[in-house]
Amino acid sequence: MSNEWPLWEIFIRGQHGMSHRHVGSLHAPDAEMAIKNARDVYTRRNEGVSIWVVEAVHIAASSPDEKGPLYEPSNSKVYRHPSFFDIPDDVGAM
Amino acid sequence: MYAQMVKTAGTGVKTPDEMSDQERAFQARIDAGEKIEPRDWMPDDYRATLIRQIGQHAHSEIVGQLPEGNWITRAPTLERKAILLAKVQDEAGHGLYLYSACETLGVSRDELIEMLHAGKMKYSSIFNYPTLNWADIGAVGWLVDGAAIMNQVQLQKTSYGPYARAMVRICKEESFHQRQGYSIMMKMAFGNAAQKAMAQDALNRLWFPSLMMFGPPDKDSVHSTQSMAWRIKINTNDELRQRFVDQTMPQMKYLGLTCPDANVKWNEDKGGYDYSDPDWDEFFAVLRGNGPCNKDRMAARVKAWEDGEWVRDGLMAHAHKNKIKNAAQVAAE
């Protein structure tokens, strides 16, 4: 079928000020219909207050094969975590 | 179970020695409880088996709308009608989550639908039984959705990420389905004698087909071992069936209905009920296409698909036209 509706990735923001989160995908002929379909498919129980739709072909993703080199720079920088530093109890809350 | 007798691709479970390095690394990830994601390397047989299983599951959700849709216009009250409509709409949603999960494996939804219509893919045997009256809608929600939950809860832990995530969403919504069915059963079982007789009759007809949903007995279940090693099946058919019977019997007792299986009996030693197997010849006949409603169900699906073609095409043409118009507007500015 050449005339298949394109695939859209759906992002929903929930009630409590969280950022939009990927919830799944669906088919729709255009953005307007993708939002309408997302309303019916992904927010039937008040799951969201805002919907983003992005045509799946426009998403660029990191490759799982590059996982090692891609994240290595952060693996070796444990001092980025606050728990790296020992602060004496006497100092109080920090 | 919405996916029955899924044929596992490949030649069976390989020993670590028989595996390639990639296969060994893949199996190690599964054994460690890691999720496999769409762009990760996976064996071709894992992919093929998942397409069959998730596809069959998706088809079951969609075909499963038909027996219930049959009663939307004939629900006894406006409230029951609205509830049933919401339930059937959920089933459509569940089908869509599952088609999306399946599409991440490199097959398109239209291809899956066309394979179903060409008889190359299956859907659950249960939807080839008719819903003859309103009590059947109660029994379907109670038993069929109950059996589906039993299967789907364990699949939340399946190894394929998109499938597991779809299952989490589905399980959240599914218990509404079972409760609405049980609520219908309560209304009828505690109603007048004629209503109670209808509830009993629905149970009589749907009990064994519900047990069939879990697939053939373990001893005849040839595909399980590899699927379990891949964690795309977590429990065996008989384990889930036993769990279903154990959970359902007290609910049946509360309704004051009698199990159509005269051999159902609590077995103290095993801490579960003994029960009779359904008629497996009937099960295989239904899977082969000879159930009471197979032809109707497929005809309804194909008709919906073909009658909807001009709408799908029309919306695509409209989207295309707008795209060109918008591009021209941008160019002119």
Side-chain angles (χ1 to χ4, degrees), chain A residues 1 3-7 23 25-27 29-30 33 40-42 44-45 47 61-64, chain B residues 39-40 89-90 93-94 96-97 100 103 108-110 114 169 173 176 312-313 315-316 318-319:
Chain A
M1 276 281 295
N3 220 11
E4 185 163 3
W5 290 352
L7 193 67
V23 292
S25 48
L26 51 75
H27 288 272
D30 56 28
M33 284 299 293
D40 289 343
V41 178
Y42 292 108
R44 287 195 303 282
R45 288 173 178 78
E47 287 93 336
S62 63
S63 153
Chain B
R39 285 156 55 91
D40 294 346
Q89 191 190 10
D90 271 356
H94 295 179
L96 293 180
Y97 307 154
S100 305
E103 284 183 291
S108 81
R109 187 173 78 191
D110 284 8
E114 276 160 15
R169 285 194 72 87
E173 299 177 348
F176 146 56
R312 296 192 300 275
D313 289 352
L315 286 171
M316 271 310 274
H318 177 73

